[in-house]
C-alpha cells in the first residue's frame, strides 16, 4: 500500500509539471516572440508629513492674487517652521505674512464700507438705526404693529398657561400672562397639571410653566414659552406664532419682526432661500400686507 501511495504521488507531480509547462507554452505563444515585460518599479518612499520643510514665500505681487484659504495655509506652514527653527529671519517672515493678511483684511473692510454706501439696501443701519431717538421711535412703531395684529386675532386664538400648584415659577409667570389678556384682549386660561395630569400628556407639556398659543376650533397650537418669560418676549412670540399658524409667514421668516416684511431682516425679501419655498415649487408666498380672504 505504501508503495502504491508513493507511485500515485509521483504521478500527480508529473501531471502538475506537464500542466504548468503546457500553460507556460501557451502564454509564450500568446505573447509572441518579441514580448517584453518591464520589471516592477520599486515603491517610492512617501514623504514624511512631519519633515521640516522651509515654506516658499512668493513675492507680494503674486501673494496678492492668492485666495484666503491658500494664504492661511502658507501662514500656518511658516508659523510651524519658524517655531521649529527659531531663527530671526524665519520668525520675521511669519510676521510679514501676518501683516499682509492684516492689511488685506483692512482693505476688505474699507471696500465693504464703500459698498454699503453705494448699496444702502445691504446695510443693516438703514433698517436698524443706532441713534437712541430713532431706535425708540422704531420700537414704538413695532409695538403698535404687533398690538394691532394681535388684537385683530383675539377672537381666533387663545393663550393657555400650564402650571402646577407646587411650581413657584408659575406664580411669577401667571401675572405676566394676565397682562397679555388685559392689553391684547385675548382669552387667557390657566391649566393646573396637578389637578388634571392628563392634560400634560395630551398637549405634550413636561415643564411648567409652559405658555401655549391655541387656535380655537382647531388642532393648531404652538408653545411660545417654556419657563418664565418677560411680557415683551411673550408678546413677540405670540405675534410670530399667530402669523405662522395663520400662514402669513413661513418658518424661514420667524425672526422677521413687526414691520420688517420685505426689508433687510426678512429672509425671503429677495427670493427663496430653501428648496421647500413655494416659489421654488412653482407657487408663491402670501403677502402679509394684503388682506386675507
Amino acid at each position: 500500500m505504501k508503495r502504491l501511495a508513493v507511485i500515485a504521488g509521483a504521478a500527480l507531480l508529473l501531471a502538475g509539471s506537464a500542466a504548468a509547462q503546457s500553460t507556460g507554452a501557451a502564454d509564450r505563444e500568446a505573447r509572441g516572440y518579441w514580448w517584453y515585460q518591464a520589471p516592477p518599479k520599486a515603491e517610492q518612499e512617501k514623504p514624511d508629513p512631519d519633515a521640516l520643510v522651509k515654506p516658499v514665500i512668493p513675492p507680494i505681487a503674486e501673494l496678492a492674487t492668492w485666495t484666503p484659504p491658500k494664504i492661511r495655509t502658507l501662514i500656518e506652514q511658516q508659523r510651524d517652521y519658524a517655531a521649529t527653527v527659531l531663527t530671526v529671519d524665519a520668525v520675521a517672515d511669519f510676521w510679514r505674512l501676518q501683516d499682509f493678511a492684516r492689511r488685506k483684511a483692512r482693505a476688505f473692510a474699507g471696500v465693504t464700507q464703500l459698498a454699503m454706501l453705494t448699496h444702502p439696501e445691504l446695510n443693516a443701519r438703514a433698517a436698524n438705526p443706532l441713534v437712541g431717538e430713532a431706535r425708540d421711535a422704531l420700537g414704538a412703531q413695532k409695538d403698535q404693529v404687533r398690538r394691532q395684529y394681535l388684537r385683530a386675532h383675539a377672537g381666533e386664538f387663545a393663550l393657555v398657561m400650564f402650571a402646577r400648584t407646587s411650581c413657584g415659577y408659575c406664580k411669577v409667570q401667571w401675572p405676566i400672562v394676565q397682562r397679555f389678556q388685559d392689553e391684547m384682549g385675548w382669552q387667557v386660561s390657566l391649566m393646573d397639571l396637578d389637578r388634571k395630569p392628563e392634560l400634560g400628556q395630551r398637549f405634550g407639556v413636561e415643564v411648567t410653566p409652559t405658555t401655549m398659543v391655541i387656535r380655537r376650533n382647531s388642532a393648531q397650537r404652538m408653545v411660545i414659552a417654556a419657563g418664565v418669560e418677560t411680557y415683551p418676549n411673550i408678546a413677540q412670540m405670540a405675534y410670530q406664532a399667530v402669523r405662522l399658524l395663520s400662514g402669513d409667514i413661513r418658518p424661514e421668516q420667524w425672526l422677521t419682526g413687526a414691520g420688517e416684511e420685505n426689508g433687510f431682516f426678512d429672509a425671503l425679501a429677495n427670493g427663496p432661500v430653501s428648496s421647500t419655498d413655494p416659489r421654488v415649487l412653482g407657487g408663491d408666498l402670501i403677502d402679509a400686507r394684503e388682506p386675507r380672504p
Side-chain angles (χ1 to χ4, degrees):
M1 290 294 293
K2 186 174 181 180
R3 184 176 181 183
L4 290 175
V6 172
I7 294 174
L12 288 174
L13 289 175
L14 291 174
S17 176
Q21 290 178 2
S22 176
T23 301
D27 290 344
R28 285 194 298 272
E29 183 178 352
R31 294 170 182 171
Y33 182 80
W34 298 105
W35 180 84
Y36 170 76
Q37 181 177 359
K41 294 182 179 179
E43 293 186 3
Q44 297 181 353
E45 295 184 0
K46 296 182 179 180
D48 183 3
D50 296 327
L52 182 63
V53 178
K54 186 180 185 303
V56 178
I57 301 177
I60 294 297
E62 179 183 347
L63 194 62
T65 64
W66 285 21
T67 61
K70 190 174 181 181
I71 295 173
R72 181 172 62 250
T73 299
L74 177 61
I75 291 176
E76 292 175 353
Q77 292 174 347
Q78 184 62 33
R79 177 202 61 197
D80 295 342
Y81 175 77
T84 303
V85 299
L86 288 177
T87 63
V88 174
D89 290 341
V91 173
D93 285 341
F94 166 73
W95 287 110
R96 288 190 184 96
L97 290 174
Q98 286 281 41
D99 182 69
F100 172 80
R102 175 192 62 80
R103 292 187 292 109
K104 194 175 186 67
R106 184 170 179 80
F108 184 84
V111 176
T112 296
Q113 289 192 0
L114 288 175
M116 295 298 102
L117 293 173
T118 307
H119 302 279
E121 73 278 4
L122 301 177
N123 192 347
R125 291 187 179 183
N128 188 28
L130 300 179
V131 180
E133 291 80 0
R135 289 184 65 86
D136 293 341
L138 180 62
Q141 179 183 358
K142 289 183 177 181
D143 288 340
Q144 183 65 18
V145 172
R146 188 163 43 235
R147 178 187 296 271
Q148 291 178 352
Y149 185 88
L150 289 173
R151 292 186 72 88
H153 289 78
E156 188 179 354
F157 292 87
L159 207 61
V160 178
M161 189 187 110
F162 296 88
R164 299 182 187 277
T165 307
S166 57
C167 172
Y169 295 117
C170 299
K171 299 176 181 178
V172 177
Q173 184 68 53
W174 178 236
I176 298 175
V177 175
Q178 286 181 308
R179 178 184 170 187
F180 186 86
Q181 181 181 25
D182 297 336
E183 296 197 11
M184 301 303 175
W186 279 37
Q187 176 184 345
V188 172
S189 302
L190 178 66
M191 299 292 181
D192 191 340
L193 296 185
D194 286 337
R195 295 181 179 179
K196 297 181 178 180
E198 69 276 4
L199 292 178
Q201 183 176 3
R202 176 184 172 186
F203 290 93
V205 175
E206 298 181 358
V207 177
T208 57
T210 291
T211 307
M212 184 181 296
V213 167
I214 295 180
R215 194 169 195 172
R216 298 182 180 184
N217 302 320
S218 171
Q220 285 186 318
R221 58 180 181 264
M222 184 174 181
V223 174
I224 63 170
V228 179
E229 281 289 355
T230 64
Y231 176 77
N233 286 346
I234 290 288
Q236 173 63 17
M237 292 299 103
Y239 171 74
Q240 296 297 81
V242 173
R243 296 175 72 205
L244 184 63
L245 294 176
S246 298
D248 290 338
I249 62 172
R250 285 180 50 80
E252 299 96 316
Q253 296 171 296
W254 179 256
L255 294 179
T256 303
E260 295 177 349
E261 297 83 1
N262 298 315
F264 182 85
F265 296 107
D266 187 346
L268 301 182
N270 293 323
V273 294
S274 67
S275 60
T276 59
D277 192 301
R279 290 170 291 185
V280 175
L281 303 175
D284 199 358
L285 287 177
I286 299 174
D287 193 337
R289 297 173 301 177
E290 297 180 358
R292 292 173 56 81

Short mmCIF file of all heavy atoms in Angstrom, two decimals, residues 158-183:
data_model
loop_
_atom_site.label_atom_id
_atom_site.label_comp_id
_atom_site.label_asym_id
_atom_site.label_seq_id
_atom_site.Cartn_x
_atom_site.Cartn_y
_atom_site.Cartn_z
N ALA A 158 -56.27 81.82 21.51
CA ALA A 158 -56.29 81.96 22.96
C ALA A 158 -54.91 81.60 23.51
O ALA A 158 -54.11 80.92 22.84
CB ALA A 158 -57.36 81.07 23.58
N LEU A 159 -54.64 82.07 24.72
CA LEU A 159 -53.35 81.81 25.37
C LEU A 159 -53.61 80.91 26.58
O LEU A 159 -54.48 81.20 27.41
CB LEU A 159 -52.71 83.13 25.81
CG LEU A 159 -51.18 83.16 25.91
CD1 LEU A 159 -50.56 82.88 24.54
CD2 LEU A 159 -50.72 84.53 26.42
N VAL A 160 -52.86 79.82 26.66
CA VAL A 160 -53.01 78.87 27.76
C VAL A 160 -51.68 78.71 28.47
O VAL A 160 -50.64 78.52 27.82
CB VAL A 160 -53.50 77.50 27.25
CG1 VAL A 160 -53.61 76.51 28.40
CG2 VAL A 160 -54.84 77.64 26.55
N MET A 161 -51.71 78.80 29.80
CA MET A 161 -50.51 78.58 30.58
C MET A 161 -50.70 77.33 31.42
O MET A 161 -51.67 77.22 32.19
CB MET A 161 -50.21 79.77 31.49
CG MET A 161 -48.84 79.67 32.15
SD MET A 161 -48.55 80.97 33.38
CE MET A 161 -48.59 80.01 34.88
N PHE A 162 -49.80 76.37 31.26
CA PHE A 162 -49.83 75.14 32.03
C PHE A 162 -48.95 75.31 33.26
O PHE A 162 -47.80 75.75 33.16
CB PHE A 162 -49.34 73.97 31.18
CG PHE A 162 -50.23 73.69 30.01
CD1 PHE A 162 -50.02 74.34 28.79
CD2 PHE A 162 -51.27 72.78 30.10
CE1 PHE A 162 -50.83 74.07 27.70
CE2 PHE A 162 -52.09 72.51 29.01
CZ PHE A 162 -51.87 73.16 27.81
N ALA A 163 -49.50 74.97 34.43
CA ALA A 163 -48.79 75.21 35.68
C ALA A 163 -49.04 74.06 36.64
O ALA A 163 -49.80 73.12 36.36
CB ALA A 163 -49.25 76.53 36.30
N ARG A 164 -48.36 74.12 37.78
CA ARG A 164 -48.57 73.19 38.88
C ARG A 164 -48.69 73.99 40.17
O ARG A 164 -48.06 75.05 40.32
CB ARG A 164 -47.43 72.17 38.99
CG ARG A 164 -47.24 71.28 37.76
CD ARG A 164 -46.12 70.27 37.99
NE ARG A 164 -45.81 69.53 36.78
CZ ARG A 164 -46.47 68.46 36.35
NH1 ARG A 164 -47.49 68.00 37.06
NH2 ARG A 164 -46.13 67.85 35.24
N THR A 165 -49.45 73.45 41.10
CA THR A 165 -49.62 74.13 42.38
C THR A 165 -48.29 74.25 43.11
O THR A 165 -48.03 75.25 43.80
CB THR A 165 -50.63 73.36 43.25
OG1 THR A 165 -51.85 73.18 42.52
CG2 THR A 165 -50.91 74.12 44.54
N SER A 166 -47.43 73.26 42.92
CA SER A 166 -46.14 73.26 43.60
C SER A 166 -45.06 74.06 42.87
O SER A 166 -43.92 74.11 43.32
CB SER A 166 -45.66 71.81 43.76
OG SER A 166 -45.59 71.17 42.49
N CYS A 167 -45.41 74.67 41.74
CA CYS A 167 -44.43 75.39 40.91
C CYS A 167 -44.37 76.85 41.34
O CYS A 167 -45.31 77.62 41.09
CB CYS A 167 -44.81 75.26 39.44
SG CYS A 167 -43.82 76.27 38.33
N GLY A 168 -43.24 77.25 41.95
CA GLY A 168 -43.08 78.64 42.36
C GLY A 168 -42.93 79.59 41.19
O GLY A 168 -43.41 80.73 41.23
N TYR A 169 -42.27 79.14 40.12
CA TYR A 169 -42.09 79.99 38.94
C TYR A 169 -43.42 80.29 38.25
O TYR A 169 -43.58 81.33 37.62
CB TYR A 169 -41.13 79.32 37.95
CG TYR A 169 -39.73 79.18 38.47
CD1 TYR A 169 -39.16 77.92 38.66
CD2 TYR A 169 -38.96 80.30 38.77
CE1 TYR A 169 -37.86 77.79 39.14
CE2 TYR A 169 -37.67 80.18 39.25
CZ TYR A 169 -37.13 78.92 39.43
OH TYR A 169 -35.85 78.78 39.91
N CYS A 170 -44.37 79.37 38.38
CA CYS A 170 -45.68 79.58 37.75
C CYS A 170 -46.38 80.79 38.36
O CYS A 170 -47.09 81.53 37.67
CB CYS A 170 -46.54 78.34 37.91
SG CYS A 170 -45.85 76.86 37.12
N LYS A 171 -46.17 81.02 39.66
CA LYS A 171 -46.79 82.16 40.32
C LYS A 171 -46.19 83.47 39.81
O LYS A 171 -46.85 84.51 39.85
CB LYS A 171 -46.60 82.04 41.83
CG LYS A 171 -47.25 80.80 42.42
CD LYS A 171 -46.96 80.67 43.91
CE LYS A 171 -47.59 79.40 44.47
NZ LYS A 171 -47.28 79.23 45.92
N VAL A 172 -44.95 83.42 39.31
CA VAL A 172 -44.32 84.61 38.74
C VAL A 172 -44.81 84.83 37.31
O VAL A 172 -45.06 85.97 36.90
CB VAL A 172 -42.78 84.46 38.77
CG1 VAL A 172 -42.11 85.66 38.11
CG2 VAL A 172 -42.30 84.29 40.20
N GLN A 173 -45.00 83.76 36.56
CA GLN A 173 -45.37 83.87 35.15
C GLN A 173 -46.84 84.25 34.96
O GLN A 173 -47.18 84.98 34.00
CB GLN A 173 -45.09 82.55 34.43
CG GLN A 173 -45.34 82.56 32.93
CD GLN A 173 -44.36 83.45 32.19
OE1 GLN A 173 -43.16 83.32 32.33
NE2 GLN A 173 -44.88 84.38 31.41
N TRP A 174 -47.71 83.80 35.84
CA TRP A 174 -49.14 83.99 35.62
C TRP A 174 -49.55 85.46 35.54
O TRP A 174 -50.32 85.84 34.63
CB TRP A 174 -49.93 83.26 36.69
CG TRP A 174 -51.41 83.43 36.58
CD1 TRP A 174 -52.26 83.89 37.53
CD2 TRP A 174 -52.23 83.12 35.46
NE1 TRP A 174 -53.56 83.91 37.09
CE2 TRP A 174 -53.57 83.43 35.80
CE3 TRP A 174 -51.98 82.62 34.18
CZ2 TRP A 174 -54.63 83.28 34.92
CZ3 TRP A 174 -53.04 82.46 33.30
CH2 TRP A 174 -54.35 82.78 33.66
N PRO A 175 -49.08 86.35 36.40
CA PRO A 175 -49.45 87.77 36.25
C PRO A 175 -48.97 88.36 34.93
O PRO A 175 -49.63 89.24 34.37
CB PRO A 175 -48.76 88.45 37.44
CG PRO A 175 -48.56 87.36 38.43
CD PRO A 175 -48.30 86.13 37.64
N ILE A 176 -47.86 87.88 34.40
CA ILE A 176 -47.36 88.36 33.10
C ILE A 176 -48.30 87.94 31.99
O ILE A 176 -48.62 88.71 31.09
CB ILE A 176 -45.93 87.83 32.85
CG1 ILE A 176 -44.98 88.36 33.92
CG2 ILE A 176 -45.44 88.21 31.46
CD1 ILE A 176 -43.58 87.80 33.84
N VAL A 177 -48.79 86.69 32.07
CA VAL A 177 -49.73 86.20 31.07
C VAL A 177 -51.06 86.95 31.18
O VAL A 177 -51.70 87.28 30.17
CB VAL A 177 -49.94 84.68 31.23
CG1 VAL A 177 -51.02 84.17 30.28
CG2 VAL A 177 -48.63 83.95 30.96
N GLN A 178 -51.47 87.26 32.39
CA GLN A 178 -52.71 88.02 32.58
C GLN A 178 -52.59 89.42 31.99
O GLN A 178 -53.57 89.98 31.48
CB GLN A 178 -53.05 88.10 34.07
CG GLN A 178 -53.59 86.81 34.64
CD GLN A 178 -53.94 86.94 36.10
OE1 GLN A 178 -53.13 87.38 36.92
NE2 GLN A 178 -55.16 86.54 36.46
N ARG A 179 -51.41 90.01 32.04
CA ARG A 179 -51.20 91.32 31.41
C ARG A 179 -51.44 91.23 29.91
O ARG A 179 -51.98 92.17 29.31
CB ARG A 179 -49.78 91.81 31.70
CG ARG A 179 -49.46 93.14 31.05
CD ARG A 179 -48.02 93.53 31.28
NE ARG A 179 -47.65 94.69 30.46
CZ ARG A 179 -46.42 95.17 30.37
NH1 ARG A 179 -45.41 94.60 31.04
NH2 ARG A 179 -46.17 96.23 29.60
N PHE A 180 -51.07 90.11 29.31
CA PHE A 180 -51.32 89.93 27.88
C PHE A 180 -52.82 89.96 27.60
O PHE A 180 -53.26 90.53 26.60
CB PHE A 180 -50.73 88.59 27.42
CG PHE A 180 -50.80 88.35 25.94
CD1 PHE A 180 -49.80 88.82 25.11
CD2 PHE A 180 -51.87 87.68 25.38
CE1 PHE A 180 -49.86 88.62 23.73
CE2 PHE A 180 -51.94 87.45 24.01
CZ PHE A 180 -50.93 87.93 23.19
N GLN A 181 -53.61 89.39 28.48
CA GLN A 181 -55.06 89.42 28.31
C GLN A 181 -55.58 90.85 28.40
O GLN A 181 -56.43 91.27 27.60
CB GLN A 181 -55.73 88.56 29.39
CG GLN A 181 -57.24 88.53 29.29
CD GLN A 181 -57.86 87.69 30.39
OE1 GLN A 181 -57.27 87.51 31.46
NE2 GLN A 181 -59.04 87.14 30.14
N ASP A 182 -55.07 91.62 29.35
CA ASP A 182 -55.53 92.99 29.54
C ASP A 182 -55.19 93.87 28.34
O ASP A 182 -56.00 94.71 27.93
CB ASP A 182 -54.93 93.57 30.81
CG ASP A 182 -55.39 92.82 32.06
OD1 ASP A 182 -56.46 92.19 32.01
OD2 ASP A 182 -54.66 92.86 33.07
N GLU A 183 -54.00 93.68 27.77
CA GLU A 183 -53.54 94.58 26.71
C GLU A 183 -53.95 94.13 25.32
O GLU A 183 -54.11 94.97 24.42
CB GLU A 183 -52.01 94.74 26.78
CG GLU A 183 -51.54 95.40 28.07
CD GLU A 183 -50.12 95.92 27.97
OE1 GLU A 183 -49.60 95.96 26.84
OE2 GLU A 183 -49.56 96.29 29.00
#
